[in-house]
Amino acid sequence: MIGPYVLPDDVFDALAAGAGGRPAVLLLLRARRSRNLLLLRRALDGPCGRAVEPAADLLAGVERVAPEAARPVIDGPAFGTWAARTLRDCPAHHRGGCAGRDLAALAVLAAVRAARPARVTVPVREGRLRLPGLGTVTGLGETPEALVVVEAPAGAEGAPGTSAGSCRVRVLTAAGERVLPRDPSRPGHGWQPVAVLDARHRGLTLRLPLETAAPELPALETASAGPAAWQDLLRQAWELLVDNHPRRAEELAAGLNGIVPLPAPARGVASATSRHAFGTVLTSWPADPERLALTLLHEFQHSKLSALTDLVTLYESGGRPRLYAPWRPDPRPPGGLLQGIYAHLGDLAFWQERSGSRHGPAQADAAWRLAQTRAHVERGLTEAASHVRLTALGTRFLERLARTVRDGDREGTGAGGGSGGERLARAVARVQAGDEAVWRLRWAAADDAGTERLAALWRAGRPAGPLPAEDVRAATGAVAGPGPEFGRWAARQRGAERARPAREAADAVLAAPDRAQGWAELAAAAAEEDRPGADVLRTRTELVRDLCVRLTARQPATPPGTAPPRPPDPLALAAWLTDPAAEDGQKTGVSMSQNARSPLAKTSATG
């Protein structure tokens, strides 16, 4: 029976604090199951209904006799993504390629687990028949579909303890018949099973399919890192999580339902979460258990927030559509910004523990990552408070989240106190200021008319007044990071005592105003020296650069025999843009940017 869900205040606050615990995860899981059933009803009532109906009838029949066999399918990695595509993106509806037909592939698993006899037609693509949770039949040629027949012993249907091995599964095509291995977890000729990873430690068990057969998810073969390697890595990661993050491990045991292996990127680890697949982590081979543990924590945060926003509204439309997120090279929508903030709470908890339990270079690296993660979350909170139209619940959510960050800071960063901790904080602040400056040069554009007005006011010696409007461009296609030059500069900051002097950085910018790295160094140096206009150099870098270039290009003619005038100094320009004599509109702009210096001070400023 489907009914309304009430989210208790204490559960909401616990989730906003970053964790929530097992009871909160189970509530989110039940709510997501109800949502998936509602989506199934919509699919049946929509243009794809005829294609969906046979598999839906099979699922309903399994649910009546063996609900424990149907629920993992409805909760599983493939169901939500199938429903989303069928309802929104199906290109064919009643024609042969209708996405609704893929529900049959999911229903096979339920029939096998319940030992329920069934005959369903399942699409075949590129010679492969994918059965989520079971495996993939290969080498089927050009046939567009196959009839899957599940045969079960008499009296086995719905019986407690029924195993998949009690069924006989036949795949019939125009070219002939294939019979799956009696134990479908074992490989066979033309059969690639979905491996189930099993990790147990101190009474907590994590069982996750290594899902390579879901047609709606970007799965691939696991030849480069097979099931045995994944099993060993998960076992070690699970021990780390249970020992050091027991409450979060309980959440993962209750809510995680699968790992989808992704292709390896050129560098690092790629990971993601589909908002439609609660509890499913998509990740490339992480190579070490620490990275896998961190990935599971981070991505499950995304799942929790996606499920929470099914129940509550945290923000409304009307704010800035594209926002700065310091952990991403591209602009993010409001929902993406909130997702990133929340996911990084998992990282924060991870590095908090690591920085306190490690020694030597490993401890120094964990302390750096902890300080950088905290700075990212704080800056994200500032951006959300300033530019997202939060609801009352959204404001409460961010206030509770900010309190978690502050409480963690009071507990210590693991970096050590005194000058060591201060040096680390300064280095992280330099990198973040430089990153934001480079991001703004790449994505933000100042209004031409407004910039020309400022140039005229500067030449006339008058106050700047309100800053002109800005526009953040949308990202298209693949987006790379800020580039190797910035990466090398950022890496040097970890060992640097202080920033390059702001005066030197300003002179370098005048010599090469189109060099983004120079502006990054200037923004970092001005912030560290607490120069007037430092906030504008960081949060409106494109405006200072464009104004500097415009004024340099429009210098008055120089009489013969006299030295040419110096180009306008970017430090002086930035200070002028924040002059106290400016009009009220300008003061408002400064107040928003000052949040970047004290990120948690005004989390509740916007409601």
Short mmCIF file of all heavy atoms in Angstrom, two decimals, residues 472-528:
data_model
loop_
_atom_site.label_atom_id
_atom_site.label_comp_id
_atom_site.label_asym_id
_atom_site.label_seq_id
_atom_site.Cartn_x
_atom_site.Cartn_y
_atom_site.Cartn_z
N VAL A 472 27.13 34.45 -16.35
CA VAL A 472 27.93 33.24 -16.32
C VAL A 472 27.46 32.34 -17.44
O VAL A 472 26.29 31.96 -17.49
CB VAL A 472 27.83 32.53 -14.96
CG1 VAL A 472 28.58 31.20 -15.00
CG2 VAL A 472 28.39 33.41 -13.86
N ARG A 473 28.35 32.03 -18.34
CA ARG A 473 28.00 31.23 -19.51
C ARG A 473 27.73 29.78 -19.11
O ARG A 473 28.31 29.27 -18.14
CB ARG A 473 29.12 31.29 -20.54
CG ARG A 473 29.35 32.68 -21.12
CD ARG A 473 30.46 32.66 -22.16
NE ARG A 473 31.75 32.45 -21.54
CZ ARG A 473 32.54 33.43 -21.11
NH1 ARG A 473 32.15 34.68 -21.21
NH2 ARG A 473 33.72 33.17 -20.58
N ALA A 474 26.91 29.11 -19.88
CA ALA A 474 26.64 27.69 -19.65
C ALA A 474 27.74 26.85 -20.28
O ALA A 474 28.29 27.19 -21.32
CB ALA A 474 25.28 27.32 -20.25
N ALA A 475 28.05 25.74 -19.64
CA ALA A 475 29.04 24.81 -20.17
C ALA A 475 28.42 23.96 -21.27
O ALA A 475 27.27 23.55 -21.18
CB ALA A 475 29.59 23.93 -19.06
N THR A 476 29.18 23.69 -22.30
CA THR A 476 28.74 22.79 -23.38
C THR A 476 29.84 21.78 -23.64
O THR A 476 31.02 22.13 -23.68
CB THR A 476 28.43 23.56 -24.67
OG1 THR A 476 29.58 24.30 -25.07
CG2 THR A 476 27.27 24.52 -24.46
N GLY A 477 29.45 20.54 -23.81
CA GLY A 477 30.44 19.49 -24.09
C GLY A 477 31.28 19.16 -22.87
O GLY A 477 31.00 19.56 -21.75
N ALA A 478 32.35 18.43 -23.11
CA ALA A 478 33.26 18.04 -22.03
C ALA A 478 34.00 19.28 -21.52
O ALA A 478 34.39 20.14 -22.29
CB ALA A 478 34.25 16.99 -22.53
N VAL A 479 34.17 19.35 -20.22
CA VAL A 479 34.82 20.50 -19.59
C VAL A 479 36.07 20.02 -18.86
O VAL A 479 35.99 19.14 -18.00
CB VAL A 479 33.88 21.20 -18.60
CG1 VAL A 479 34.60 22.35 -17.90
CG2 VAL A 479 32.65 21.72 -19.32
N ALA A 480 37.21 20.60 -19.20
CA ALA A 480 38.46 20.27 -18.52
C ALA A 480 38.68 21.23 -17.36
O ALA A 480 37.96 22.21 -17.19
CB ALA A 480 39.62 20.35 -19.51
N GLY A 481 39.68 20.94 -16.57
CA GLY A 481 40.02 21.79 -15.43
C GLY A 481 40.71 23.06 -15.86
O GLY A 481 40.79 23.38 -17.05
N PRO A 482 41.23 23.82 -14.89
CA PRO A 482 41.81 25.13 -15.21
C PRO A 482 43.12 25.07 -15.96
O PRO A 482 43.62 26.10 -16.39
CB PRO A 482 42.00 25.77 -13.82
CG PRO A 482 42.07 24.62 -12.87
CD PRO A 482 41.19 23.56 -13.44
N GLY A 483 43.71 23.91 -16.11
CA GLY A 483 44.91 23.78 -16.93
C GLY A 483 46.15 23.47 -16.12
O GLY A 483 46.21 23.68 -14.90
N PRO A 484 47.20 22.97 -16.79
CA PRO A 484 48.41 22.54 -16.08
C PRO A 484 49.16 23.68 -15.42
O PRO A 484 49.80 23.49 -14.38
CB PRO A 484 49.25 21.88 -17.19
CG PRO A 484 48.72 22.43 -18.47
CD PRO A 484 47.27 22.68 -18.24
N GLU A 485 49.10 24.89 -15.99
CA GLU A 485 49.82 26.00 -15.37
C GLU A 485 49.26 26.31 -13.99
O GLU A 485 50.01 26.48 -13.02
CB GLU A 485 49.73 27.25 -16.26
CG GLU A 485 50.59 28.40 -15.75
CD GLU A 485 50.50 29.65 -16.62
OE1 GLU A 485 49.53 29.76 -17.40
OE2 GLU A 485 51.37 30.52 -16.48
N PHE A 486 47.94 26.35 -13.89
CA PHE A 486 47.34 26.56 -12.58
C PHE A 486 47.63 25.39 -11.65
O PHE A 486 47.89 25.58 -10.46
CB PHE A 486 45.83 26.76 -12.70
CG PHE A 486 45.15 26.95 -11.37
CD1 PHE A 486 45.13 28.19 -10.77
CD2 PHE A 486 44.56 25.88 -10.71
CE1 PHE A 486 44.53 28.37 -9.53
CE2 PHE A 486 43.96 26.05 -9.47
CZ PHE A 486 43.94 27.31 -8.88
N GLY A 487 47.58 24.18 -12.18
CA GLY A 487 47.87 23.01 -11.35
C GLY A 487 49.26 23.06 -10.74
O GLY A 487 49.45 22.74 -9.56
N ARG A 488 50.25 23.48 -11.53
CA ARG A 488 51.61 23.58 -11.00
C ARG A 488 51.71 24.67 -9.94
O ARG A 488 52.37 24.50 -8.91
CB ARG A 488 52.59 23.85 -12.15
CG ARG A 488 52.79 22.66 -13.08
CD ARG A 488 53.93 22.91 -14.04
NE ARG A 488 53.62 23.96 -15.00
CZ ARG A 488 53.06 23.76 -16.18
NH1 ARG A 488 52.71 22.53 -16.55
NH2 ARG A 488 52.82 24.77 -17.01
N TRP A 489 51.04 25.80 -10.18
CA TRP A 489 51.06 26.88 -9.20
C TRP A 489 50.39 26.44 -7.90
O TRP A 489 50.90 26.67 -6.81
CB TRP A 489 50.35 28.11 -9.78
CG TRP A 489 50.18 29.22 -8.77
CD1 TRP A 489 51.12 30.14 -8.41
CD2 TRP A 489 49.00 29.51 -8.00
NE1 TRP A 489 50.61 30.99 -7.46
CE2 TRP A 489 49.32 30.62 -7.18
CE3 TRP A 489 47.74 28.94 -7.91
CZ2 TRP A 489 48.38 31.18 -6.30
CZ3 TRP A 489 46.82 29.49 -7.03
CH2 TRP A 489 47.14 30.60 -6.24
N ALA A 490 49.23 25.77 -8.03
CA ALA A 490 48.52 25.31 -6.84
C ALA A 490 49.36 24.31 -6.04
O ALA A 490 49.38 24.34 -4.81
CB ALA A 490 47.18 24.69 -7.24
N ALA A 491 50.06 23.42 -6.74
CA ALA A 491 50.89 22.44 -6.05
C ALA A 491 52.02 23.12 -5.28
O ALA A 491 52.39 22.68 -4.18
CB ALA A 491 51.46 21.45 -7.05
N ARG A 492 52.55 24.20 -5.82
CA ARG A 492 53.64 24.90 -5.13
C ARG A 492 53.17 25.57 -3.84
O ARG A 492 53.96 25.79 -2.93
CB ARG A 492 54.27 25.95 -6.05
CG ARG A 492 55.07 25.38 -7.21
CD ARG A 492 55.96 26.43 -7.83
NE ARG A 492 55.22 27.56 -8.37
CZ ARG A 492 54.75 27.64 -9.62
NH1 ARG A 492 54.94 26.62 -10.45
NH2 ARG A 492 54.09 28.70 -10.04
N GLN A 493 51.89 25.88 -3.77
CA GLN A 493 51.40 26.58 -2.58
C GLN A 493 51.49 25.73 -1.32
O GLN A 493 51.59 26.28 -0.22
CB GLN A 493 49.95 27.05 -2.80
CG GLN A 493 49.76 27.98 -3.99
CD GLN A 493 50.82 29.06 -4.06
OE1 GLN A 493 50.98 29.85 -3.14
NE2 GLN A 493 51.55 29.09 -5.17
N ARG A 494 51.47 24.43 -1.46
CA ARG A 494 51.52 23.57 -0.28
C ARG A 494 52.82 23.74 0.48
O ARG A 494 52.88 23.56 1.69
CB ARG A 494 51.32 22.10 -0.68
CG ARG A 494 49.94 21.83 -1.21
CD ARG A 494 49.72 20.37 -1.54
NE ARG A 494 49.78 19.51 -0.37
CZ ARG A 494 49.36 18.25 -0.36
NH1 ARG A 494 48.84 17.73 -1.46
NH2 ARG A 494 49.44 17.52 0.72
N GLY A 495 53.89 24.10 -0.24
CA GLY A 495 55.17 24.29 0.43
C GLY A 495 55.57 25.75 0.57
O GLY A 495 56.65 26.04 1.09
N ALA A 496 54.71 26.66 0.10
CA ALA A 496 55.07 28.08 0.12
C ALA A 496 54.74 28.70 1.47
O ALA A 496 53.71 28.39 2.07
CB ALA A 496 54.35 28.82 -0.99
N GLU A 497 55.60 29.60 1.93
CA GLU A 497 55.36 30.30 3.19
C GLU A 497 54.33 31.39 3.02
O GLU A 497 53.51 31.64 3.90
CB GLU A 497 56.68 30.90 3.70
CG GLU A 497 56.56 31.59 5.06
CD GLU A 497 56.20 30.62 6.17
OE1 GLU A 497 56.66 29.46 6.12
OE2 GLU A 497 55.46 31.02 7.08
N ARG A 498 54.35 32.06 1.88
CA ARG A 498 53.40 33.15 1.64
C ARG A 498 53.20 33.32 0.13
O ARG A 498 53.93 32.73 -0.67
CB ARG A 498 53.91 34.46 2.25
CG ARG A 498 55.25 34.92 1.69
CD ARG A 498 55.71 36.22 2.36
NE ARG A 498 55.89 36.04 3.79
CZ ARG A 498 57.02 35.59 4.34
NH1 ARG A 498 58.05 35.25 3.57
NH2 ARG A 498 57.12 35.45 5.64
N ALA A 499 52.24 34.12 -0.22
CA ALA A 499 51.97 34.39 -1.63
C ALA A 499 53.04 35.31 -2.22
O ALA A 499 53.79 35.97 -1.48
CB ALA A 499 50.60 35.05 -1.78
N ARG A 500 53.11 35.35 -3.52
CA ARG A 500 53.94 36.35 -4.20
C ARG A 500 53.45 37.73 -3.78
O ARG A 500 52.24 37.94 -3.66
CB ARG A 500 53.77 36.16 -5.70
CG ARG A 500 54.61 37.10 -6.56
CD ARG A 500 54.30 36.82 -8.01
NE ARG A 500 55.22 37.52 -8.89
CZ ARG A 500 55.19 37.44 -10.23
NH1 ARG A 500 54.25 36.67 -10.80
NH2 ARG A 500 56.07 38.07 -10.97
N PRO A 501 54.33 38.67 -3.52
CA PRO A 501 53.87 40.01 -3.14
C PRO A 501 52.84 40.56 -4.13
O PRO A 501 53.00 40.42 -5.35
CB PRO A 501 55.15 40.84 -3.13
CG PRO A 501 56.23 39.85 -2.84
CD PRO A 501 55.80 38.58 -3.52
N ALA A 502 51.80 41.16 -3.61
CA ALA A 502 50.72 41.66 -4.47
C ALA A 502 51.22 42.68 -5.47
O ALA A 502 50.72 42.74 -6.60
CB ALA A 502 49.61 42.24 -3.60
N ARG A 503 52.19 43.49 -5.05
CA ARG A 503 52.70 44.50 -5.99
C ARG A 503 53.38 43.84 -7.19
O ARG A 503 53.17 44.25 -8.33
CB ARG A 503 53.69 45.40 -5.25
CG ARG A 503 54.29 46.57 -6.03
CD ARG A 503 53.24 47.60 -6.39
NE ARG A 503 52.63 47.33 -7.70
CZ ARG A 503 51.46 47.78 -8.06
NH1 ARG A 503 50.71 48.47 -7.22
NH2 ARG A 503 50.98 47.52 -9.27
N GLU A 504 54.17 42.81 -6.93
CA GLU A 504 54.80 42.07 -8.03
C GLU A 504 53.74 41.41 -8.91
O GLU A 504 53.85 41.41 -10.14
CB GLU A 504 55.76 41.01 -7.48
CG GLU A 504 57.04 41.54 -6.89
CD GLU A 504 57.97 40.41 -6.49
OE1 GLU A 504 57.74 39.27 -6.96
OE2 GLU A 504 58.90 40.66 -5.71
N ALA A 505 52.75 40.80 -8.27
CA ALA A 505 51.70 40.12 -9.04
C ALA A 505 50.93 41.11 -9.91
O ALA A 505 50.57 40.81 -11.06
CB ALA A 505 50.74 39.39 -8.09
N ALA A 506 50.68 42.33 -9.38
CA ALA A 506 49.97 43.34 -10.16
C ALA A 506 50.79 43.78 -11.37
O ALA A 506 50.27 43.96 -12.47
CB ALA A 506 49.63 44.54 -9.29
N ASP A 507 52.10 43.94 -11.18
CA ASP A 507 52.96 44.33 -12.30
C ASP A 507 52.99 43.23 -13.37
O ASP A 507 53.00 43.52 -14.57
CB ASP A 507 54.38 44.61 -11.80
CG ASP A 507 54.45 45.88 -10.95
OD1 ASP A 507 53.53 46.72 -11.06
OD2 ASP A 507 55.41 46.01 -10.17
N ALA A 508 52.98 41.98 -12.93
CA ALA A 508 52.97 40.87 -13.88
C ALA A 508 51.67 40.85 -14.67
O ALA A 508 51.66 40.56 -15.88
CB ALA A 508 53.17 39.55 -13.15
N VAL A 509 50.58 41.16 -14.02
CA VAL A 509 49.29 41.22 -14.71
C VAL A 509 49.28 42.33 -15.74
O VAL A 509 48.77 42.16 -16.87
CB VAL A 509 48.15 41.42 -13.67
CG1 VAL A 509 46.90 41.97 -14.34
CG2 VAL A 509 47.84 40.11 -12.98
N LEU A 510 49.86 43.49 -15.42
CA LEU A 510 49.91 44.59 -16.39
C LEU A 510 50.73 44.22 -17.61
O LEU A 510 50.42 44.64 -18.73
CB LEU A 510 50.49 45.84 -15.72
CG LEU A 510 49.59 46.52 -14.68
CD1 LEU A 510 50.35 47.65 -14.00
CD2 LEU A 510 48.32 47.04 -15.32
N ALA A 511 51.76 43.40 -17.38
CA ALA A 511 52.60 43.00 -18.51
C ALA A 511 51.92 41.96 -19.39
O ALA A 511 52.19 41.89 -20.60
CB ALA A 511 53.93 42.44 -17.98
N ALA A 512 51.03 41.16 -18.82
CA ALA A 512 50.33 40.11 -19.60
C ALA A 512 48.91 39.98 -19.08
O ALA A 512 48.58 39.02 -18.37
CB ALA A 512 51.08 38.79 -19.48
N PRO A 513 48.02 40.93 -19.42
CA PRO A 513 46.66 40.92 -18.84
C PRO A 513 45.81 39.75 -19.30
O PRO A 513 44.79 39.47 -18.67
CB PRO A 513 46.07 42.25 -19.32
CG PRO A 513 46.88 42.63 -20.51
CD PRO A 513 48.26 42.11 -20.27
N ASP A 514 46.18 39.05 -20.36
CA ASP A 514 45.39 37.92 -20.82
C ASP A 514 45.83 36.59 -20.21
O ASP A 514 45.25 35.55 -20.51
CB ASP A 514 45.46 37.82 -22.34
CG ASP A 514 44.74 38.97 -23.02
OD1 ASP A 514 43.74 39.46 -22.44
OD2 ASP A 514 45.17 39.41 -24.10
N ARG A 515 46.83 36.62 -19.36
CA ARG A 515 47.33 35.38 -18.74
C ARG A 515 46.54 35.11 -17.46
O ARG A 515 46.68 35.81 -16.46
CB ARG A 515 48.82 35.52 -18.44
CG ARG A 515 49.45 34.29 -17.82
CD ARG A 515 50.96 34.44 -17.73
NE ARG A 515 51.54 33.36 -16.97
CZ ARG A 515 51.90 33.45 -15.69
NH1 ARG A 515 51.75 34.60 -15.04
NH2 ARG A 515 52.43 32.42 -15.06
N ALA A 516 45.71 34.10 -17.50
CA ALA A 516 44.82 33.80 -16.37
C ALA A 516 45.61 33.51 -15.10
O ALA A 516 45.19 33.89 -14.00
CB ALA A 516 43.91 32.62 -16.71
N GLN A 517 46.76 32.83 -15.24
CA GLN A 517 47.52 32.48 -14.07
C GLN A 517 47.98 33.72 -13.29
O GLN A 517 48.04 33.72 -12.07
CB GLN A 517 48.74 31.64 -14.47
CG GLN A 517 49.54 31.13 -13.30
CD GLN A 517 48.68 30.35 -12.33
OE1 GLN A 517 47.94 29.47 -12.74
NE2 GLN A 517 48.77 30.68 -11.05
N GLY A 518 48.29 34.79 -14.01
CA GLY A 518 48.70 36.03 -13.35
C GLY A 518 47.59 36.59 -12.47
O GLY A 518 47.83 37.06 -11.35
N TRP A 519 46.37 36.53 -12.96
CA TRP A 519 45.23 37.01 -12.17
C TRP A 519 44.98 36.12 -10.96
O TRP A 519 44.57 36.60 -9.90
CB TRP A 519 43.99 37.10 -13.05
CG TRP A 519 44.06 38.23 -14.02
CD1 TRP A 519 44.43 38.16 -15.33
CD2 TRP A 519 43.78 39.60 -13.74
NE1 TRP A 519 44.39 39.41 -15.90
CE2 TRP A 519 43.99 40.32 -14.96
CE3 TRP A 519 43.38 40.30 -12.62
CZ2 TRP A 519 43.81 41.69 -15.06
CZ3 TRP A 519 43.19 41.68 -12.71
CH2 TRP A 519 43.41 42.36 -13.91
N ALA A 520 45.22 34.81 -11.11
CA ALA A 520 45.08 33.91 -9.97
C ALA A 520 46.09 34.30 -8.87
O ALA A 520 45.74 34.37 -7.68
CB ALA A 520 45.31 32.47 -10.41
N GLU A 521 47.31 34.56 -9.25
CA GLU A 521 48.33 34.95 -8.27
C GLU A 521 47.98 36.29 -7.63
O GLU A 521 48.18 36.48 -6.42
CB GLU A 521 49.70 35.03 -8.95
CG GLU A 521 50.24 33.68 -9.41
CD GLU A 521 51.65 33.78 -9.96
OE1 GLU A 521 52.21 34.90 -9.95
OE2 GLU A 521 52.20 32.76 -10.37
N LEU A 522 47.45 37.22 -8.42
CA LEU A 522 47.09 38.52 -7.87
C LEU A 522 45.93 38.39 -6.88
O LEU A 522 45.95 39.01 -5.80
CB LEU A 522 46.72 39.49 -9.00
CG LEU A 522 46.28 40.89 -8.57
CD1 LEU A 522 47.36 41.57 -7.74
CD2 LEU A 522 45.91 41.73 -9.79
N ALA A 523 44.91 37.62 -7.23
CA ALA A 523 43.77 37.44 -6.31
C ALA A 523 44.23 36.79 -5.02
O ALA A 523 43.80 37.19 -3.92
CB ALA A 523 42.69 36.59 -6.99
N ALA A 524 45.11 35.79 -5.10
CA ALA A 524 45.60 35.12 -3.90
C ALA A 524 46.44 36.07 -3.05
O ALA A 524 46.30 36.11 -1.82
CB ALA A 524 46.41 33.89 -4.29
N ALA A 525 47.32 36.83 -3.68
CA ALA A 525 48.20 37.74 -2.93
C ALA A 525 47.40 38.86 -2.28
O ALA A 525 47.64 39.22 -1.12
CB ALA A 525 49.26 38.31 -3.87
N ALA A 526 46.44 39.44 -3.00
CA ALA A 526 45.65 40.53 -2.44
C ALA A 526 44.84 40.06 -1.24
O ALA A 526 44.71 40.78 -0.24
CB ALA A 526 44.72 41.10 -3.52
N ALA A 527 44.31 38.84 -1.31
CA ALA A 527 43.56 38.30 -0.18
C ALA A 527 44.47 38.07 1.02
O ALA A 527 44.12 38.39 2.15
CB ALA A 527 42.85 37.01 -0.58
N GLU A 528 45.64 37.50 0.77
CA GLU A 528 46.55 37.20 1.88
C GLU A 528 47.06 38.48 2.55
O GLU A 528 47.25 38.51 3.77
CB GLU A 528 47.72 36.36 1.38
CG GLU A 528 48.59 35.82 2.49
CD GLU A 528 49.42 34.64 2.05
OE1 GLU A 528 48.89 33.50 2.07
OE2 GLU A 528 50.59 34.84 1.65
#
